[in-house]
Structure formats: structure tokens, C-alpha cells
Amino acid sequence: MNYGDPRIHRAMWAAEGWSYKLVRQLDQSAVTPIAYEGERMDGARAFEYGLVHRVYPAGSDLIEASRPFLTTLADLDPDAYRETKRAILAGLDLGFEASLR
């Protein structure tokens, strides 16, 4: 599977928010080829950039392949998981001092 935005080749622009979020997750030099040139990113490159935590070979049984990860999540304390996730997501667009509050 590839990720990309070919709209630049159709005289269109990104409009649904990925252009806002992607540059906050990656260095601008990684986003530029996708946004300005319509370049596509494969799973290995997404893993290299830290956008995904695992890449499975084509044809993999994703349910079985993801079972160990999902079992680990299911075994966590739900309150601790929820609060950790909330803090991480809330802090994405905050400065350091604000995220500490």
C-alpha cells in the first residue's frame, strides 16, 4: 500500500487536514515531495519516518499478525491507557509548558 496525494497533478490542493498534521509529525523535507510533487510513500518509508510502528508483507493475515500487539493493549489497565493516550494526543499541538499542565 502506498500513501500519497496526487491532487497536485490535477491542479488541486490538500484540503482535509493532512497538510496541517503531517508537517507536525515529520520534517518538512519529508512532506515536500508528497505535497508538491505528488510522490507516494510505501510502508517501509512510513516506518522509517515513524508514521507506523510495524509493516507487514503483502498478503499477510493482518488479524493474526496484529494479535500480539492487540493482546498487549488489551492487557493494559484501561484508565492508564486512556489517560496516557489523552495526554499524548492533547500535547501534539501544545508547547512544552502547556503540555505539562
Side-chain angles (χ1 to χ4, degrees):
M1 177 188 275
N2 288 314
Y3 169 80
D5 192 352
R7 289 179 284 191
I8 193 79
H9 298 296
R10 294 175 181 88
M12 300 171 74
W13 60 90
E16 67 280 321
W18 74 260
S19 58
Y20 174 84
K21 291 189 175 212
L22 200 56
V23 294
R24 284 162 175 74
Q25 295 176 323
L26 296 178
D27 186 271
Q28 184 178 354
S29 66
V31 176
T32 298
I34 296 167
Y36 298 159
E37 301 171 16
E39 188 175 297
R40 299 180 65 81
M41 179 187 316
D42 63 10
R45 195 153 159 216
F47 181 79
E48 175 187 333
Y49 288 147
L51 292 174
V52 299
H53 64 272
R54 286 193 181 83
V55 177
Y56 297 102
S60 294
D61 181 342
L62 294 181
I63 292 173
E64 285 306 312
S66 61
R67 192 173 306 280
F69 173 69
L70 297 174
T71 299
T72 298
L73 291 183
D75 289 342
L76 296 173
D77 177 78
D79 295 329
Y81 177 78
R82 181 183 60 249
E83 289 305 309
T84 299
K85 184 175 180 179
R86 184 200 59 73
I88 289 171
L89 294 176
L92 285 174
D93 291 324
L94 297 176
F96 181 68
E97 294 297 324
S99 70
L100 290 178
R101 290 189 287 267

